[in-house]
Amino acid sequence: MDRRHSEPPADLMLREHFTVDELAQLLELSPYVVREAVRNGQLQAFVVDHHIVDIRREDALAWLRNFPRRGR
């Protein structure tokens, strides 16, 4: 079962941990943007063998505080 599109955003917002796909879905971003932020050190995540396994809510929020906003 593909979970990327099965959870409503309201349920995702309550989570304390995310996968790349879950965070991308919640923020309406490409998973590529999330992966690149981890690779560039902008977003902290738990990585095993070059695979992003877990992103904590508090790390996602810290990243979002510095995320470039459109129209600035």
Side-chain angles (χ1 to χ4, degrees), residues 3-70:
R3 293 189 60 189
R4 285 183 293 182
H5 302 290
S6 63
E7 281 194 74
D11 290 345
L12 285 174
M13 289 176 62
L14 299 174
R15 289 183 164 225
E16 291 297 320
H17 298 268
F18 301 95
T19 65
V20 168
D21 290 328
E22 289 167 345
L23 186 59
Q25 177 188 350
L26 179 63
L27 300 176
E28 296 181 346
L29 295 171
S30 165
Y32 174 82
V33 172
V34 176
R35 280 191 211 95
E36 281 301 302
V38 172
R39 287 188 186 116
N40 293 331
Q42 299 166 333
L43 172 58
Q44 297 297 311
F46 184 66
V47 180
V48 175
D49 294 329
H50 305 288
H51 297 284
I52 302 166
V53 176
D54 182 73
I55 302 166
R56 296 181 315 164
R57 174 199 261 312
E58 61 195 67
D59 293 326
L61 291 172
W63 175 58
L64 285 173
R65 283 187 209 100
N66 297 312
F67 196 78
R69 294 184 182 110
R70 294 180 197 164

